[in-house]
Amino acid sequence: MEQVLKEFAPYISPIITAIGVILIAWWKHDQPRQEARIKLELQKKEAELQEQSKRRNQYVSQIYGLLWQLLHDLKADRVYVVQPHPLTHREYLSISLEVDRTGASGMKTRIQNLPMEDVAKFSSELSSRDFLYYKDVANNVRDKRARALLLNAGSMSAIIRKLATEDDGWVGNIFCEFNHITETSPDYARGRLEAVAEQIQYILPPIQ
């Protein structure tokens, strides 16, 4: 055995060198194909991202149109969408989209990354009840922090509709607020909000 190894030893280095040369040649030959494949994959990914961005913008534009219609139909002062995020373990509330009547102060800057534990009672109602009708915010809203947020923005009445999907469950709420005590019929408000919710809840972009 030792004799065989001794006889074979002089050929080991040339064989290794030859294998290395073959591998390098193969790599150089295959490299343009690999680079072309990577470039194609990057172009495909870029096209997908552009399509997602285009679709998202279309959805947002559609949602804004529906919110403006609600503002008009319910004679509200502001209408906006509050979303819990992240959806995997809901911790915060943020307003993502809002429309306001001329002269009414906005709420979007007031509710951004609001810890749900700070408005625990209110968050529980938002997630569990499909429809909330607060004719008199000062007396009907039980959560002190949420009541203060609404009153400080001038809201005297508020009507809220839950947004939910089969896959994610609770994904948000539509808020319609009034700087006066509204006389809008609860049944009429429920019907209009339900119709809009059905159009919004499946196209609403999540907050990451």
Side-chain angles (χ1 to χ4, degrees):
M1 187 66 175
E2 292 181 3
Q3 183 63 30
V4 173
L5 290 174
K6 287 180 180 180
E7 292 178 357
F8 189 69
Y11 301 102
I12 293 176
S13 180
I15 290 173
I16 292 175
T17 300
I19 292 173
V21 170
I22 292 171
L23 289 174
I24 291 173
W26 175 83
W27 180 79
K28 288 183 177 180
H29 173 75
D30 193 60
Q31 187 178 13
R33 186 176 67 85
Q34 294 293 339
E35 290 177 347
R37 181 179 61 81
I38 293 172
K39 183 177 180 180
L40 183 62
E41 289 178 353
L42 290 174
Q43 289 174 340
K44 182 180 179 181
K45 186 64 176 178
E46 183 178 359
E48 289 175 353
L49 291 174
Q50 289 177 348
E51 180 60 27
Q52 289 175 5
S53 177
K54 179 181 178 181
R55 188 162 56 247
R56 178 189 176 93
N57 290 339
Q58 290 174 339
Y59 288 160
V60 168
S61 178
Q62 183 178 345
I63 293 170
Y64 268 122
L66 292 166
L67 298 184
W68 278 114
Q69 192 61 49
L70 272 179
L71 187 83
H72 175 267
D73 292 349
L74 299 183
K75 297 179 174 57
D77 289 287
R78 69 186 64 80
V79 178
Y80 55 86
V81 175
V82 169
Q83 293 178 252
H85 59 97
L87 286 179
T88 52
H89 53 285
R90 301 167 178 83
E91 292 185 58
Y92 305 98
L93 295 174
S94 291
I95 294 177
S96 54
L97 305 166
E98 178 180 27
V99 296
D100 307 311
R101 189 173 296 280
T102 302
S105 60
M107 282 287 285
K108 189 171 183 179
T109 58
R110 302 168 189 260
I111 302 179
Q112 291 296 318
N113 299 314
L114 174 65
M116 289 174 59
E117 62 182 12
D118 288 357
V119 285
K121 292 180 181 178
F122 197 53
S123 296
S124 177
E125 289 188 317
L126 294 180
S127 64
S128 63
R129 297 180 60 182
D130 288 338
F131 182 74
L132 295 164
Y133 187 94
Y134 297 123
K135 187 175 181 68
D136 184 354
V137 167
N139 292 308
N140 298 154
V141 178
R142 295 180 301 164
D143 189 293
K144 293 181 180 179
R145 175 83 184 275
R147 183 170 64 242
L149 283 169
L150 296 174
L151 291 174
N152 287 339
S155 298
M156 298 182 68
S157 295
I159 307 173
I160 304 168
R161 179 57 161 80
K162 178 181 174 182
L163 302 172
T165 67
E166 286 85 354
D167 292 337
D168 298 311
W170 173 45
V171 297
N173 301 82
I174 303 172
F175 279 64
C176 298
E177 294 179 5
F178 307 80
N179 291 349
H180 56 275
I181 297 296
T182 184
E183 297 301 327
T184 301
S185 162
D187 289 339
Y188 174 72
R190 183 191 295 270
R192 288 295 297 118
L193 280 165
E194 183 176 344
V196 171
E198 289 177 354
Q199 296 180 70
I200 288 179
Q201 53 202 10
Y202 290 101
I203 63 173
L204 181 65
I207 296 176
Q208 302 299 329

